[in-house]
């Protein structure tokens, strides 16, 4: 192959590769970790994640590592009508216990139900009453993709989040 042919082939190819848009989203898959709750403070950690730091003001948002709500919204399935609830669902993917957190400034609760990818009910509606940590036990679910439907019973606002069970 001549140099001219190589240039004609690889030159446009290099521009098409460089033109791709990439999004960097935070996602944690760790082999071990844990969590704790004490006097309205919540701490969660994973073993083996890279070190990072986030500090905030009076809103009590001190974080370490990458175990944060996904800013790219990859877990969001449909319109996020509950955006002001500041939802957090982790660890996702999971092998067992899921933790749902929402803003403690919301003086209410959410109804949560889960269906599998075919729409078959997996968890009937339950009240999620603790903003610091409400738990969903996925340990008995088969591996797969599930959908968590959350609804505010007062405003009827809702959202649907994707759950991956390993």
């Amino acid at each position: 192959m001549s140099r001219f042919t190589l240039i004609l082939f690889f030159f446009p190819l290099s521009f098409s590769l460089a033109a791709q848009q990439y999004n960097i989203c935070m996602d944690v898959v760790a082999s071990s970790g844990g969590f704790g709750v004490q006097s309205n403070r919540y701490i969660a950690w994973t073993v083996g994640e890279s070190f990072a730091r986030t500090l905030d003001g009076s809103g009590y948002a001190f974080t370490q590592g990458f175990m944060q709500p996904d800013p790219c919204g990859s877990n969001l399935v449909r319109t996020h009508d509950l955006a002001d609830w500041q939802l957090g669902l982790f660890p996702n993917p999971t092998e067992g216990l899921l933790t749902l957190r929402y803003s403690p400034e919301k003086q209410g609760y959410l109804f949560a139900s889960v269906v599998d990818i075919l729409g078959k009910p997996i968890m009937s509606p339950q009240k999620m009453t603790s903003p610091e940590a409400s738990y969903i036990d996925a340990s008995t679910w088969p591996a797969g993709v599930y959908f968590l439907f959350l609804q505010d019973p007062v405003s009827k606002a809702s959202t649907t989040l994707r759950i991956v069970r390993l």
Side-chain angles (χ1 to χ4, degrees):
M1 228 185 220
S2 72
R3 284 187 184 164
F4 183 70
T5 309
L6 285 174
I7 290 172
L8 283 178
F9 178 72
F10 287 110
F11 189 70
L13 180 63
S14 65
F15 275 111
S16 68
L17 291 175
Q20 298 294 322
Q21 182 177 356
Y22 296 98
N23 289 326
I24 298 175
C25 297
M26 295 181 285
D27 223 350
V28 173
V29 178
S31 60
S32 183
F35 63 90
V37 179
Q38 184 176 11
S39 64
N40 294 333
R41 301 289 187 253
Y42 182 87
I43 184 169
W45 66 92
T46 58
V47 176
E49 69 181 30
S50 301
F51 174 79
R53 180 175 111 177
T54 304
L55 298 172
D56 244 344
S58 61
Y60 296 108
F62 173 80
T63 60
Q64 289 285 129
F66 295 100
M67 200 159 123
Q68 311 300 320
D70 186 1
C72 299
S74 65
N75 292 332
L76 189 62
V77 176
R78 63 180 224 50
T79 307
H80 196 6
D81 295 339
L82 296 174
D84 59 332
W85 283 70
Q86 301 171 356
L87 297 172
L89 180 68
F90 56 89
N92 194 8
T94 186
E95 289 185 332
L97 198 63
L98 282 160
T99 302
L100 174 69
R101 287 192 305 173
Y102 56 87
S103 173
E105 293 159 4
K106 292 293 182 182
Q107 299 294 318
Y109 59 90
L110 294 170
F111 276 117
S113 59
V114 177
V115 297
D116 67 10
I117 199 156
L118 299 174
K120 178 181 151 197
I122 299 298
M123 182 182 89
S124 58
Q126 295 180 7
K127 281 185 181 179
M128 300 287 130
T129 57
S130 175
E132 292 85 21
S134 292
Y135 302 104
I136 299 170
D137 184 9
S139 63
T140 60
W141 305 351
V145 176
Y146 298 87
F147 299 103
L148 172 64
F149 179 74
L150 298 168
Q151 184 177 39
D152 174 10
V154 176
S155 70
K156 301 300 183 203
S158 65
T159 195
T160 305
L161 303 173
R162 176 182 46 89
I163 299 170
V164 176
R165 168 67 168 95
L166 299 175

